[in-house]
Amino acid sequence: MTKIYYFSGTGNTYWSAKKLAERIGDAVIVPISREIKQPDVRIEADAAVFMFPAYAYGIPVMVGRFLERAEIHAGYLAALVSYGSSPGGALAEASRILGRKKMTLNYGGRIPAVENYIPIFGAQEAELRSRRIAMQAEATEQAAAAIVSRVNNRVPTFKPFAGFVSALFHIGCPRMGRLFRVTADCNACGFCARICPAGAISMTKEGPVFQKRCEQCQACLNFCPQKAITFGRLKQDTERYHHPEVAAGELFGTQ
Ligand SMILES: Cc1cc2nc3c(=O)[nH]c(=O)nc-3n(C[C@H](O)[C@H](O)[C@H](O)COP(=O)(O)O)c2cc1C
Ligand code: SF4
Ligand code: SF4
C-alpha cells in the first residue's frame, strides 16, 4: 500500500493528493494535521509520499515537525511540493530532515498551482488561475506515473538562502495569528475554526479568536463564506481563492 500524507490550506495539495491516490490505486490519503496528534507517528507502507505547499521557500512548520517525529518504514519515499511561483528549497528542506534520520528521498516532484497567499500577493487573474490549475493536473499525473514506476531522481539538500528564509518564517509564523482581523460581517458560523488544520481558532460568543499556533495556511480567510477575515493589508473586497474542486467540508475536522 502507498500512504500519502498531506498538509493543505486552500485545497491545492489536497486535490493533488486525492488524484494521486486514485491514479496509484492501492493508496490512502492521511492529513498530517491529524496524524501529528498521535502519541507515536509510525508509518508502515510499501511507499510513503509526503505532500505539502511551499511556504517561504521551505515547508510548513507542522510538516517539518511531522517529518522529524515520524518513524518511517517504507521501501520508497517521495515528496511533492505544491507551489505558486517558486518552491525554492522546500524539497531540499524535507530531504535534509529525512537525511538526519539516515533516510533518502527516492523521488522529489514539483506541482505548480495557484498562489494562495493573497494578503501578500493579491488574487491571481482568472486566466492565470485556469492555466495553473491545468498545469497542476498535468504535473500531478506525471508525479503519479513516476511514483508508480518507482522512479529515482536526485533531490538536492543544499539550498542555503532558501533555508535561511524558511528558518525566519518558522520563527515568525506562530506569532502571525495576531495580524488577523474579523469584520462585523462575521455571522459566527464556525467554518474557520472547523477548517483550521492547526486548531488555532477557537469560537467565542464574540466570534473567532486566533491563537499562537497559526501555520499561515490561509484556509480561514479564503474559505470564510462572509469574507469576514482579513490579514495585514488584505482588503475585505479582495477576491478569495481555494481550489475550485475542493469544498470546505472536505477539509473540515482534519485537526
Ligand atoms: C505562508 C505562505 C508562503 C508561501 N510561500 C511560497 C513560496 O515560497 N513559493 C511559492 O511558490 N509559493 C508559495 N506560497 C503559495 C503556496 O505554496 C501555493 O499556493 C500552494 O499551492 C498552496 O497549497 P494549498 O492550497 O494546499 O494550501 C505560499 C503560500 C503561503 C500561504
Ligand atoms: S468563517 Fe467567517 S463568518 Fe464564519 S465564524 Fe469564521 S469569520 Fe465568522
Ligand atoms: S488560523 Fe487560519 S491561517 Fe492560521 S493555521 Fe488556522 S486556518 Fe490556517
Side-chain angles (χ1 to χ4, degrees), residues 95-130:
S95 183
R96 279 200 303 275
I97 295 174
L98 293 170
R100 288 199 289 273
K101 299 155 77 125
K102 309 277 180 255
M103 306 196 83
T104 307
L105 266 182
N106 296 96
Y107 181 76
R110 299 160 169 220
I111 301 186
V114 174
E115 171 65 61
N116 71 345
Y117 206 3
I118 61 167
I120 305 293
F121 299 110
Q124 288 188 331
E125 300 283 321
E127 199 199 321
L128 177 57
R129 284 204 304 265
S130 320

Side-chain angles (χ1 to χ4, degrees), residues 2-103:
T2 298
K3 291 191 177 163
I4 300 166
Y5 293 87
Y6 73 90
F7 178 90
S8 184
T10 53
N12 294 347
T13 315
Y14 171 72
W15 185 90
S16 286
K18 274 199 312 182
K19 290 287 162 201
L20 198 75
E22 276 168 33
R23 174 73 167 71
I24 291 173
D26 186 20
V28 289
I29 65 170
V30 184
I32 286 176
S33 52
R34 192 156 66 205
E35 194 65 11
I36 200 167
K37 288 196 148 175
Q38 301 298 326
D40 298 306
V41 180
R42 190 178 163 86
I43 299 173
E44 288 191 50
D46 301 318
V49 183
F50 305 106
M51 299 181 70
F52 42 79
Y55 282 180
Y57 290 169
I59 64 181
V61 175
M62 186 186 288
V63 174
R65 278 197 287 121
F66 176 79
L67 292 175
E68 274 158 16
R69 276 193 56 206
E71 187 188 326
I72 307 169
H73 301 273
Y76 182 82
L77 292 180
L80 302 175
V81 59
S82 156
Y83 67 97
S85 55
S86 161
L91 290 174
E93 191 170 331
S95 183
R96 279 200 303 275
I97 295 174
L98 293 170
R100 288 199 289 273
K101 299 155 77 125
K102 309 277 180 255
M103 306 196 83

Side-chain angles (χ1 to χ4, degrees), residues 180 192 195-198 200-201 210 214-220:
F180 287 103
C192 49
I195 210 162
C196 174
I201 301 175
F210 292 83
C214 177
E215 292 275 336
Q216 279 297 296
C217 77
Q218 308 299 302
C220 53

